[in-house]
Amino acid sequence: MIGGGKDKTRGGGGPVPVRPERLRGPVEFVGRAAELAQLRRLVEAPPCLILLEGEPGIGKSRLVAELLAKLPGQHLVGECDDVPEPFPLGVLLDAIRGSADRLDALSPVAGALAPLLPELADALPDAPPPLTDPAAERHRLLRAVAAVLAALGPATLLLEDLHWADPATCEFLGYLSTHPVDGLAVVLTARTPTPGGSTPIHDALARTPPWSVTRVALNPLDADDVRRLAARTLRLDDPPQQLTATLLDRTAGIPFVVEEVLRTLAERGGDPLADDSVPFVLRDVLLWRLRPLDEATREVLGAAAVLGLAPDQRILASALSLDRVAVGAAMTVAHRAGLLHDAGDGLRFRHDLARQVVYDLVPRESREWLHLRIARVLEQELPRPVAQLAHHYRRAGSGADFVRNAEAAADLATERGDDATAASFLLQTMDVAELPRPVRVRLAAKLGRSAIDGLSQAEAIPVLERLLADRRLPPGARGELGLVLGRMLRQQGEALRGYTEIERAVPYLRAPRRKAPALAVLAAPDTVVGRHIDDHLARCAEAESAAAASGDPGAHLAVRIARASLLLELGDLTAWTIISELRASAELADRPREHARACLNWAQGALHAGHPEQAETLLAAGRALVDETGYERLTALVEATELSLDRAAGRLDGLADRLTRLVASTERMPVTLLDARAELATVLARTAATATSAGDSEGGDQMELAERTLREVVADARRVGAIWPLVQALSALARLTLDGRPDEAVRHATDALTLVRGKGILAWAAEAVLVLAEAAATAGDPARAAAAVTELEVGIAGRDAPLALATLRRCRELVPS
């Protein structure tokens, strides 16, 4: 069952004899003293949240085992599987499900876990009635987990292999980062993402404030650590330098691989540097251990590797048509050969690297047959483990069975409110080449209805683009998928591409309740270049018609929120009437996340117009709603709006540092990031001007940094087509260059004015027009400045735009009418 292979050898060096009897048990723990001390300091002062990360085999599990071994108190441990079931918070529930005897006086909200944890039914409060808002239901579930963890504290919660975590778990840990539980130390382990890639847990933690998570990265062992390991394992007082160098070269200092090689050296004896002695790669180490095994044991071990990291002997026996005794005996032999280890709850592979090596040694045809056999056995389980079935059928090459189970897993995840996991399964089905067109259309429609913003954007966007490129895609599916792709592109900061995709999708959206919110997105004027305000007004009118036709309160609410934002940017006083009515309505109160987002968007619109008092009120309401709902995705928007308000009010003390921290932590809201970078450059320019006038030599450096930042914002905003940060950055750059390079300042101001003309909201160009007026007062073009000032005056006449009106008065002092 498992294929053979030849040893890889290495020549050179004198003999360093090692006798087999010198093997002395587990390889000792070395090289992590600093990391272990850091972890101890952190967990001994809870609450804390620690992410321990590194490449496979780097020693994450070994390090946390050392930590817990000498750590007093309650330990809650959960481990993610590489084939996660569509079951939200699975690893967390595993960590707490055995703690019924320690739960007492729980908050009523903990009852939300009762349907998910029947083992704790007697210890949990009764389940509360379901909520109509899925987002509120999810938030209540997160609060329930936090309540149970609080009741179990003080404790250390260890969650391993979070790179495989389900989206709900990632969301909870993001929530926990800003809502820590007293007495709870949380330690997470995860693999470092591949270059340019990410994982859901890294995405979730990237959205949290940088101070809320302590990241501890494990690096490969250095030469001294490898030498100490060799000395202790092989009982060599002074291992030769060439041995250390060879080990380091062939293992890259990855502890698990180093340990396996050293174990083999200790077991085999002989000269570790002789040509025919030691295989220096993990595959060959395991090949050597496999060599003495009989065929029956190899067959069982290969099937175990196909089944998973912790293989179930009962399933193995059924898949191989063997009795349990024979399977147990074979696994015992593999244990004695060092290929499996006893984890306390059964025999398993000591590391996924070892399992993967054994898996790869099974011939491809045999692997596919084993996956199919295992799937047929799992089909008899109740409830059917649909995620595992999808995994095994996919590896077996059985496309129809894979799609059937992946769709079932997606449906199950959707029922549990986990749209991100549902979309993950559905996305995988799109890769099945032989998928019948009607099935592909059905699955594509489900994918379009799933919330995919929790997935890796790099993975999802190309799949959706490929689907939309298929001319045979039916109109309904084209509309749904185009809308989803547009939303995702906007979330990535691709403002114009996202807007354009939604524009293309709208004609294909059949249901008015789907069309109305999409049109409402297109009504927002402050998002993209190349669309005039008349276009946005037309989209808003279409959205209102679609909402009326839908009869859907949610669609109607989305359109009214959009109309208020549009009128606010236009300087129409009707906006404030709509905002007051909406904030007093039950429809918005029953949707706290939509309420929070609306308040923050309106606060930004109020700032754009020049209403700091109203912006302050709306920001406070939005911030309170974000705190109440735990909607971490809006945290960066809250802080960005707060910082913009402080800048507008002239509260500059410490503002540059706060903006710098925000820029460093706003990875998942790129447009907000552009705004924050523009704000940062503006503040730096202000403080630099003050410093320069005071004779401070640092003023020049700050001015240079401000200009460089603004130029970067201009370039990035042009690339993605984001108009608001582009206009603001160009206007600020014009202001910054006015004194020393007036011609350049005029060029930047003119660029900003041209963009605003294309949008049709002249109030946005007030600062740029003021720069033109100031330039004309010295050595500029008076005629052009006068025309721009008149254009501004006409454009804001009768508008509720106090900031632009104040700027216009300054312009008229310089360029009289």
Side-chain angles (χ1 to χ4, degrees), residues 164-386:
W164 289 325
D166 63 275
T169 294
C170 297
E171 183 181 4
F172 173 76
L173 293 169
Y175 168 83
L176 199 63
S177 69
T178 51
H179 298 79
V181 173
D182 288 341
L184 183 69
V186 182
V187 182
L188 316 174
T189 70
R191 293 179 182 174
T192 305
T194 57
S198 188
T199 69
I201 185 60
H202 286 91
D203 288 344
L205 296 182
R207 295 191 293 266
T208 64
W211 48 261
S212 64
V213 182
T214 301
R215 289 170 168 81
V216 179
L218 293 187
N219 297 312
L221 299 179
D222 60 22
D224 288 340
D225 295 330
V226 171
R227 188 170 183 276
R228 280 196 295 272
L229 264 180
R232 295 179 184 181
T233 306
L234 304 177
R235 290 198 172 183
L236 296 172
D237 293 333
D238 187 20
Q241 186 175 357
Q242 188 174 357
L243 171 62
T244 300
T246 302
L247 283 168
L248 194 60
D249 177 53
R250 291 301 182 89
T251 66
I254 299 173
F256 175 72
V257 183
V258 176
E259 290 182 10
E260 289 301 303
V261 171
L262 288 171
R263 286 174 186 274
T264 303
L265 278 172
E267 292 166 358
R268 291 183 62 176
D271 179 3
L273 300 180
D275 287 356
D276 61 350
S277 177
V278 181
F280 275 79
V281 293
L282 181 60
R283 178 180 179 276
D284 291 333
V285 167
L286 296 183
L287 271 175
W288 179 81
R289 295 186 180 182
L290 284 165
R291 189 172 294 116
L293 301 184
D294 59 80
E295 187 61 32
T297 300
R298 290 189 181 204
E299 182 180 30
V300 170
L301 188 64
V306 171
L307 183 55
L309 195 61
D312 185 316
Q313 294 188 23
R314 176 181 57 83
I315 294 173
L316 283 177
S318 297
L320 296 172
S321 301
L322 297 172
D323 59 57
R324 289 281 299 277
V325 174
V327 170
M331 294 188 71
T332 300
V333 172
H335 177 220
R336 289 172 181 164
L339 292 159
L340 298 174
H341 84 116
D342 191 347
D345 56 352
L347 296 177
R348 59 183 294 165
F349 290 94
R350 195 163 73 87
H351 195 282
D352 189 54
L353 282 174
R355 185 203 66 81
Q356 187 64 47
V357 168
V358 175
Y359 179 90
D360 290 341
L361 290 173
V362 179
R364 183 177 61 83
E365 296 81 1
S366 298
R367 286 202 305 262
E368 292 179 353
W369 179 83
L370 284 168
H371 278 296
L372 187 61
R373 289 287 300 166
I374 289 169
R376 297 302 188 214
V377 172
L378 292 175
E379 287 277 14
Q380 311 307 313
E381 301 283 307
L382 291 176
R384 292 174 62 249
V386 287

Side-chain angles (χ1 to χ4, degrees), residues 247-600:
L247 283 168
L248 194 60
D249 177 53
R250 291 301 182 89
T251 66
I254 299 173
F256 175 72
V257 183
V258 176
E259 290 182 10
E260 289 301 303
V261 171
L262 288 171
R263 286 174 186 274
T264 303
L265 278 172
E267 292 166 358
R268 291 183 62 176
D271 179 3
L273 300 180
D275 287 356
D276 61 350
S277 177
V278 181
F280 275 79
V281 293
L282 181 60
R283 178 180 179 276
D284 291 333
V285 167
L286 296 183
L287 271 175
W288 179 81
R289 295 186 180 182
L290 284 165
R291 189 172 294 116
L293 301 184
D294 59 80
E295 187 61 32
T297 300
R298 290 189 181 204
E299 182 180 30
V300 170
L301 188 64
V306 171
L307 183 55
L309 195 61
D312 185 316
Q313 294 188 23
R314 176 181 57 83
I315 294 173
L316 283 177
S318 297
L320 296 172
S321 301
L322 297 172
D323 59 57
R324 289 281 299 277
V325 174
V327 170
M331 294 188 71
T332 300
V333 172
H335 177 220
R336 289 172 181 164
L339 292 159
L340 298 174
H341 84 116
D342 191 347
D345 56 352
L347 296 177
R348 59 183 294 165
F349 290 94
R350 195 163 73 87
H351 195 282
D352 189 54
L353 282 174
R355 185 203 66 81
Q356 187 64 47
V357 168
V358 175
Y359 179 90
D360 290 341
L361 290 173
V362 179
R364 183 177 61 83
E365 296 81 1
S366 298
R367 286 202 305 262
E368 292 179 353
W369 179 83
L370 284 168
H371 278 296
L372 187 61
R373 289 287 300 166
I374 289 169
R376 297 302 188 214
V377 172
L378 292 175
E379 287 277 14
Q380 311 307 313
E381 301 283 307
L382 291 176
R384 292 174 62 249
V386 287
Q388 293 182 53
L389 285 166
H391 164 76
H392 287 294
Y393 279 128
R394 189 177 195 186
R395 293 295 183 92
S398 181
D401 287 318
F402 158 66
V403 169
R404 171 172 57 87
N405 284 281
E407 184 178 8
D411 290 343
L412 187 57
T414 300
E415 290 173 12
R416 291 168 173 163
D418 191 354
D419 287 337
T421 295
S424 176
F425 282 108
L426 292 167
L427 276 168
Q428 294 176 53
T429 67
M430 297 293 106
D431 293 332
V432 178
E434 67 273 18
L435 197 63
R437 188 179 176 203
V439 176
R440 187 181 297 276
V441 169
R442 184 183 74 244
L443 295 175
K446 287 187 177 183
L447 177 59
R449 290 192 295 269
S450 297
I452 59 176
D453 55 344
L455 296 178
S456 168
Q457 307 290 328
E459 176 189 8
I461 286 177
V463 172
L464 293 174
E465 289 176 330
R466 188 165 63 248
L467 285 169
L468 287 164
D470 183 356
R471 295 183 179 181
R472 299 171 301 172
L473 194 66
R478 183 172 299 281
E480 292 288 348
L481 294 180
L483 176 58
V484 170
L485 177 58
R487 285 173 47 209
M488 292 185 67
L489 289 169
R490 282 164 51 84
Q491 288 166 5
Q492 278 208 315
E494 297 287 342
L496 185 56
R497 282 183 64 201
Y499 192 97
T500 303
E501 286 294 343
I502 295 175
E503 277 184 324
R504 291 172 181 164
V506 163
Y508 298 104
L509 292 170
R510 295 171 175 172
R513 67 178 183 83
R514 297 289 290 165
K515 182 174 288 190
L519 287 163
V521 172
L522 300 180
D526 58 336
T527 52
V528 293
V529 299
R531 302 297 186 278
H532 193 270
I533 189 61
D534 291 342
D535 298 324
H536 297 296
L537 287 167
R539 293 300 193 181
C540 192
E542 292 175 46
E544 288 173 329
S545 298
S550 74
D552 180 10
H556 185 62
L557 178 64
V559 173
R560 293 197 71 201
I561 290 172
R563 172 162 281 280
S565 297
L566 174 58
L567 295 178
L568 198 56
E569 295 290 353
L570 272 174
D572 189 325
L573 284 170
T574 310
W576 296 109
T577 303
I578 299 174
I579 290 171
S580 297
E581 292 173 353
L582 283 171
R583 295 203 58 212
S585 70
E587 290 84 359
L588 194 56
D590 289 342
R591 294 173 171 83
R593 293 194 176 191
E594 285 84 348
H595 193 174
R597 188 182 293 277
C599 283
L600 294 172

